[in-house]
């Protein structure tokens, strides 16, 4: 789960069922904008400085990516 979505203050939280290894934020064109390593936690607070728009967040758990879109407002 990613919240809040839309993101309003450059910060969002990820809660996962499995330990998170990494979080990657990409543009809709596939360009990697941020790449965060996470110390195997089920929750992560992410701080990003992005212009308004829609982005893809890849959450890596157990060496598999799970993708979701976020709206930055």
């Amino acid at each position: 789960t990613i919240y809040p979505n839309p993101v309003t203050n450059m910060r969002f939280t990820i809660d996962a069922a499995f330990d998170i290894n990494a979080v990657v934020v990409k543009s809709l064109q596939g360009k990697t904008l941020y790449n965060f390593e996470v110390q195997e936690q089920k929750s992560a607070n992410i701080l990003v400085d992005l212009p308004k728009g829609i982005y893809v967040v890849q959450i890596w758990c157990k060496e598999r990516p799970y993708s979701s879109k976020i709206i930055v407002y």
Side-chain angles (χ1 to χ4, degrees):
T1 306
I2 298 176
Y3 61 91
N5 194 7
V7 177
T8 56
N9 64 353
M10 299 190 296
R11 182 182 306 259
F12 62 91
T13 300
I14 300 170
D15 287 332
F18 302 104
D19 287 340
I20 302 167
N21 303 106
V23 176
V24 180
V25 180
K26 296 184 175 191
S27 68
L28 289 179
Q29 293 76 26
K31 180 180 177 184
T32 299
L33 305 172
Y34 288 94
N35 190 350
F36 300 97
E37 289 188 28
V38 180
Q39 297 299 318
E40 296 189 7
Q41 304 173 68
K42 288 187 170 67
S43 182
N45 293 309
I46 305 297
L47 181 64
V48 292
D49 186 12
L50 296 167
K52 292 179 182 179
I54 300 172
Y55 299 89
V56 176
V57 177
Q58 285 186 332
I59 304 160
W60 286 83
C61 298
K62 292 188 170 187
E63 301 189 24
R64 291 185 47 190
Y66 300 89
S67 297
S68 184
K69 289 183 183 173
I70 61 168
I71 299 169
V72 174
Y73 181 73

